[in-house]
Amino acid sequence: ETGVTQSPTHLIKTRGQQVTLRCSSQSGHNTVSWYQQALGQGPQFIFQYYREEENGRGNFPPRFSGLQFPNYSSELNVNALELDDSALYLCASSLDVAGELFFGEGSRLTVL
Amino acid sequence: GENVEQHPSTLSVQEGDSAVIKCTYSDSASNYFPWYKQELGKGPQLIIDIRSNVGEKKDQRIAVTLNKTAKHFSLHITETQPEDSAVYFCAAGPGQGAQKLVFGQGTRLTINP
């Protein structure tokens, strides 16, 4: 059984640029949640996707957007990058909207 | 919205001793309280969880207690081992189950041999 995989593992962008992060959910899981983890902090909920629809959003601006595809993989897009967007972005899949979260290893984004 | 406070931020114990990490939450509607272990370079991994209709849950060396009246919950690790060294996070679920989790700030646990 393949776990949650994320790509890329590391990337560096400059302020104002756009970034796309990708996540493949665990087999059989139809729900994906994205979290932002700043250095030395706990993860913060960005949004959740269930069967290709956004199903809940945290306190993040509209320049954070996402997609979920028919195979339940997902993308996180961030436009107009700011220095404070530097963080580890974690994707978690689950069997359903309330199920146990299985996290990937994250994508480390650095904004210069 | 929900706010979760976690203490201590760092904890160092001798191998074989017990470790206790405490969290408080603010939203009385929260009903799901998981604990995660995060090792260096890895994503968080669920180690134990408890729901609001249960006061205590145990899984081998790990136990969690919940006091809904006081809005606090704790993680207890007994007979600590070097592989228990990691960052531990508590979280509270104000939505359904593990939906929209609000995490604490984390506790770096170090087990000294």
Side-chain angles (χ1 to χ4, degrees):
Chain A
E1 182 178 273
T2 306
V4 177
T5 58
Q6 294 187 239
S7 64
T9 54
H10 295 81
L11 69 167
I12 300 173
K13 292 285 187 178
T14 56
R15 198 169 47 180
Q17 286 189 312
Q18 176 266 342
V19 68
T20 297
L21 308 177
R22 295 177 175 84
C23 172
S24 292
S25 57
Q26 188 164 313
S27 176
H29 289 186
N30 60 22
T31 304
V32 170
S33 302
W34 286 91
Y35 284 80
Q36 180 195 66
Q37 186 176 23
L39 199 61
Q41 301 293 317
Q44 269 195 290
F45 175 69
I46 303 175
F47 42 55
Q48 181 187 74
Y49 276 82
Y50 170 66
R51 295 192 173 186
E52 303 178 62
E53 297 287 330
E54 186 178 293
N55 182 50
R57 187 179 184 93
N59 189 26
F60 281 82
R63 59 189 185 84
F64 285 77
S65 63
L67 281 174
Q68 187 179 32
F69 300 99
N71 66 354
Y72 303 130
S73 65
S74 178
E75 285 182 357
L76 164 66
N77 299 289
V78 187
N79 293 323
L81 284 168
E82 301 177 358
L83 297 180
D84 285 349
D85 295 333
S86 295
L88 181 68
Y89 288 85
L90 294 162
C91 167
S93 72
S94 51
L95 278 174
D96 54 47
V97 297
E100 177 184 344
L101 298 181
F102 291 83
F103 283 90
E105 296 191 345
S107 295
R108 169 84 53 195
L109 171 66
T110 302
V111 182
L112 302 176
Chain B
E2 176 64 278
N3 182 54
V4 177
E5 297 286 335
Q6 182 173 348
H7 299 280
S9 56
T10 60
L11 180 60
S12 182
V13 302
Q14 289 299 119
E15 182 178 353
D17 287 350
S18 295
V20 180
I21 303 171
K22 298 183 179 181
C23 289
T24 60
Y25 64 98
S26 61
D27 188 348
S28 56
S30 288
N31 53 26
Y32 176 67
F33 306 92
W35 286 87
Y36 291 86
K37 177 183 182 182
Q38 188 172 26
E39 297 176 323
L40 198 61
K42 299 285 182 71
Q45 181 179 18
L46 179 71
I47 55 172
I48 195 167
D49 57 10
I50 193 168
R51 296 183 187 274
S52 61
N53 57 346
V54 176
E56 183 173 355
K57 184 176 177 180
K58 189 173 181 181
D59 182 4
Q60 299 182 349
R61 297 186 297 110
I62 294 174
V64 58
T65 58
L66 170 65
N67 183 328
K68 281 222 79 181
T69 303
K71 296 201 191 103
H72 65 71
F73 56 114
S74 302
L75 176 71
H76 304 251
I77 305 174
T78 58
E79 301 171 15
T80 53
Q81 301 167 3
E83 52 265 37
D84 294 330
S85 294
V87 179
Y88 291 80
F89 292 97
C90 63
Q96 295 181 54
Q99 189 182 38
K100 300 179 186 176
L101 291 179
V102 177
F103 283 78
Q105 299 91 330
T107 296
R108 181 172 297 280
L109 176 63
T110 302
I111 308 301
N112 301 307

